[in-house]
């Protein structure tokens, strides 16, 4: 069963994804900011992390940096879910090791599930010749 | 000394040189009288002119003091010869001195130079402008919490025809703090609006999509299913409007950086055809891609943005065509590749052509007959900005009501 750490502060958004993932049979652990996310990772080992950018206490970019600096977490794929369409931010999170960026408003929940599955498949078969097609991010 | 006094002295001197003869001839008296009068006239004239000079100087000073821009005039040494009230107001935060009027010149260029450091080295710039005889502009000088625009220009005086003499330098200082604050809040508005509007829309869109997908069996009531459908469609429409607004503003402000790459337009055209084919089939119109596009030379442009342009042109054609076909063709000429989109749709009358590529315009022009289901009227405007930023041109080739329209854009051929 796919285990997801969802780091997202907005209730209407996290509740929507929690429902979508439950309906799809994923296990979801929720953290409402970056600090809580790092805390959850002490006991929870997800297959993938879904990370929002704009959050209180510790934002997504800061958390991504911490994740990639830690031996224990640096190999967990991170999918950034955001509604910030700033090319600077997009560039920054890729530079810091995000596997994918999804613009929330442009993507239906079942498409998000599809992208999660393809990131996980790609991670399982790193030699797979099919390149992962990044969903269109219009900046 | 009073002219009357000179008059007295003059008579004394004359009497001395004439010896003891005490009386003067009447002619001599008359002459002295004349001298005396002309002294009076001269005196009155000087007083009048002095008055005029004072008036014109104080007019110049009050003019200088009333303008909002800071002003310093330097001579060729260069040393301050004139400043104004605004200049002192602008720099007051650092001088700490009381603000006086323009006429006082206690300021030294050195003092102003020190005040403005480290943002700029004013004295060096002034010397530079003097020696090169060229104006210098500093567009954004951070000065404490203020932002200043400083303009330094040499002053020349035409001595003889064609012969100029340097007389100094003028320094103009404009406080652009308020302007900068406005600019910044406009930028922030864009990114905040984009985030804050999209987030709730995402939840409306996502949740209705989930209901449609996982709870279809519970939506037995047809009306209820339609309502959920309409909520979903509306949220997607609203997201597209938000995106169009933000895209247009970002393009206008130069916030969108084009990422040029070399690619074949055929790839992009095929993508668009694939994405819109379904919609065309639904409407019963055919979407034809000319195979000649495959052999066109490659172009250098931002692929995603060009896809947006083609999507917009073909999408518009689909929107306004009820029967017949839409065809996409291409050719190249003189270092340019042309893509042409031809439809058999409703077409436009000639007087609506000129408004087509303008912001918020839909052909038709009348505010109340706008077809809001057809979009915001920003699509062609955005496409125009993108094509022009990519070094090409976009336009309407022809259109006739009831017969259809032909749109075309060009892009420069890649230099490999």
């Amino acid at each position: 069963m796919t285990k997801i750490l969802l780091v997202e502060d907005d209730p209407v958004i996290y509740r929507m994804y929690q429902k979508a993932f439950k309906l799809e049979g994923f296990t979801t652990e929720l953290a409402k900011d970056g600090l809580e996310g790092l805390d959850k990772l002490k006991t929870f080992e997800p297959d993938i992390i879904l990370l929002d950018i704009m959050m209180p206490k510790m934002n997504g970019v800061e958390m991504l940096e911490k994740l990639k600096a830690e031996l224990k977490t640096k190999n967990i794929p991170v999918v950034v879910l955001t509604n910030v369409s700033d090319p600077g931010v997009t560039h920054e999170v890729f530079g810091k090791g995000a596997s994918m960026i999804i613009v929330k408003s442009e993507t239906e929940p079942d498409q998000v599930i599809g992208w999660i599955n393809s990131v996980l498949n790609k991670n399982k078969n790193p030699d797979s010749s099919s390149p992962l097609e990044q969903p269109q991010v219009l900046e | 000394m009073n002219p009357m006094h000179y008059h007295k002295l003059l008579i004394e001197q004359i009497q001395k040189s004439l010896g003891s003869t005490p009386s003067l001839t009447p002619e001599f008296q008359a002459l002295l009288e004349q001298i005396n009068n002309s002294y009076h006239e001269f005196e009155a004239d000087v007083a009048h002119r002095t008055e005029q000079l004072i008036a014109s100087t104080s007019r110049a000073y009050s003019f200088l003091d009333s303008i909002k821009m800071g002003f310093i005039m330097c001579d060729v040494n260069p040393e301050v010869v004139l400043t104004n009230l605004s200049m002192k107001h602008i720099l007051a935060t650092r001088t700490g001195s009381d603000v006086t009027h323009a006429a006082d010149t206690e300021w030294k260029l050195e003092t102003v130079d020190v005040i403005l450091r480290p943002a700029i080295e004013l004295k060096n710039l002034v010397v530079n402008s003097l020696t090169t005889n060229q104006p210098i502009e500093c567009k954004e000088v951070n000065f404490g919490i203020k932002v200043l625009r400083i303009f330094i220009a040499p002053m020349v005086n035409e001595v003889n025809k064609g012969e100029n003499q340097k007389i100094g330098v003028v320094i103009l200082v404009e406080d652009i703090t308020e302007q900068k604050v406005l600019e910044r809040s406009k930028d922030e508005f864009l990114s905040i609006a984009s985030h804050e509007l999209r987030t709730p829309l995402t939840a409306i869109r996502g949740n209705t999509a989930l209901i449609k997908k996982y709870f279809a069996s519970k939506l037995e009531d047809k009306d209820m299913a339609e309502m959920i459908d309409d909520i979903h469609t509306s949220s997607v429409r609203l997201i597209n409007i938000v995106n169009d607004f933000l895209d247009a503003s970002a393009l206008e402000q130069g916030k969108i950086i084009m990422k040029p790459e070399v690619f074949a337009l055929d790839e992009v055209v095929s993508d668009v055809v694939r994405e819109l084919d379904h919609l065309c089939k639904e409407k019963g119109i055919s979407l034809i891609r000319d195979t000649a596009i495959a052999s066109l030379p490659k172009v250098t442009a931002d692929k995603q943005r060009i896809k947006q342009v083609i999507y917009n042109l073909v999408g518009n054609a689909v929107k306004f065509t009820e029967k017949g076909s839409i065809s996409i063709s291409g050719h190249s000429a003189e270092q340019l590749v042309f893509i042409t989109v031809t439809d058999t749709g409703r077409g436009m009358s000639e007087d609506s052509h000129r408004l087509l590529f303008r912001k918020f315009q839909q052909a038709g022009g009348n505010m109340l007959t706008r077809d809001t289901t057809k979009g915001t009227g920003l699509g062609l405007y955005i496409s125009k900005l993108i094509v022009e930023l990519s070094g090409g041109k976009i336009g309407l080739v022809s259109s006739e009501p009831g017969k259809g329209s032909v749109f075309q854009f060009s892009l420069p051929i890649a230099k490999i």
Side-chain angles (χ1 to χ4, degrees), chain B residues 33-76:
Chain B
E33 198 61 30
Q34 262 175 17
I35 291 173
N36 196 16
N37 287 344
S38 66
Y39 265 126
H40 282 301
E41 276 165 33
F42 179 71
E43 172 76 345
D45 200 31
V46 167
H48 178 64
R49 288 192 187 198
T50 310
E51 215 169 85
Q52 273 184 330
L53 190 64
I54 290 171
S56 97
T57 314
S58 58
R59 263 204 299 275
Y61 283 157
S62 49
F63 164 70
L64 282 177
D65 277 347
S66 68
I67 54 173
K68 275 204 143 183
M69 212 179 256
F71 171 94
I72 296 179
M73 190 194 279
C74 290
D75 56 21
V76 287

Side-chain angles (χ1 to χ4, degrees), chain B residues 92-309:
Chain B
T93 44
R94 296 275 178 92
T95 54
S97 68
D98 286 339
V99 175
T100 48
H101 59 90
D104 92 75
T105 54
E106 92 280 13
W107 278 21
K108 300 273 168 274
L109 188 59
E110 202 68 45
T111 324
V112 187
D113 181 273
V114 170
I115 289 170
L116 286 171
R117 276 173 195 251
I120 56 162
E121 295 181 8
L122 186 70
K123 196 165 181 180
N124 284 344
L125 293 174
V126 166
V127 172
N128 215 326
S129 175
L130 263 176
T131 37
T132 59
N133 217 10
Q134 292 294 323
I136 296 171
E137 189 184 6
C138 309
K139 284 189 175 147
E140 255 176 64
V141 177
N142 289 309
F143 176 66
I145 53 162
K146 290 180 187 171
V147 185
L148 309 177
R149 192 174 76 94
I150 300 181
F151 187 76
I152 302 163
M155 293 187 296
V156 286
N157 201 5
E158 195 171 33
V159 201
N160 291 310
K161 218 172 171 129
E163 191 190 327
N164 290 331
Q165 183 193 22
K166 282 182 204 178
I167 54 172
V169 165
V170 162
I171 306 166
L172 296 173
V173 179
E174 193 182 357
D175 187 345
I176 54 167
T177 316
E178 200 55 33
Q179 206 176 311
K180 285 282 144 195
V181 169
L182 276 177
E183 256 170 51
R184 219 168 293 153
S185 60
K186 201 171 152 197
D187 286 358
E188 279 166 8
F189 173 77
L190 263 186
S191 52
I192 290 170
S194 88
H195 188 263
E196 299 307 306
L197 289 171
R198 278 174 182 160
T199 301
L201 285 169
T202 307
I204 300 172
R205 176 187 186 163
N207 281 303
T208 45
L210 287 176
I211 293 172
K212 281 167 66 177
K213 184 173 176 186
Y214 293 97
F215 300 97
S217 62
K218 292 192 175 172
L219 295 177
E220 285 151 5
D221 192 313
K222 262 193 169 176
D223 281 344
M224 187 150 141
E226 196 176 82
M227 283 153 82
I228 300 285
D229 249 354
D230 285 351
I231 297 173
H232 185 258
T233 311
S234 302
S235 68
V236 173
R237 204 159 105 190
L238 206 45
I239 289 169
N240 289 335
I241 293 172
V242 169
N243 288 347
D244 271 3
F245 271 59
L246 297 171
D247 243 10
S249 318
L251 278 163
E252 280 169 352
Q253 292 181 29
K255 291 269 180 301
I256 286 180
I257 299 143
M258 293 286 164
K259 288 178 289 185
E261 59 179 301
V262 176
F263 67 96
L265 277 166
D266 190 43
E267 295 171 34
V268 185
V269 172
S270 304
D271 277 355
V272 173
V273 169
R274 203 179 314 120
E275 285 169 37
L276 288 171
D277 202 39
H278 171 71
L279 200 60
C280 288
K281 285 210 172 88
E282 254 177 27
K283 289 185 88 171
I285 46 181
S286 48
L287 181 56
I288 310 152
R289 178 176 61 100
D290 180 4
T291 47
I293 296 176
S295 48
L296 286 175
K298 289 186 172 182
V299 294
T300 307
D302 186 320
K303 199 170 161 185
Q304 282 311 326
R305 291 286 164 193
I306 296 307
K307 185 180 167 186
Q308 198 181 345
V309 173

Side-chain angles (χ1 to χ4, degrees), chain A residues 24 83 85 105-106 108 139, chain B residues 205 214 232 243 259 305:
Chain A
E24 201 59 28
N83 267 331
S85 60
S105 62
E106 299 299 309
E108 303 282 13
E139 286 155 9
Chain B
R205 176 187 186 163
Y214 293 97
H232 185 258
N243 288 347
K259 288 178 289 185
R305 291 286 164 193

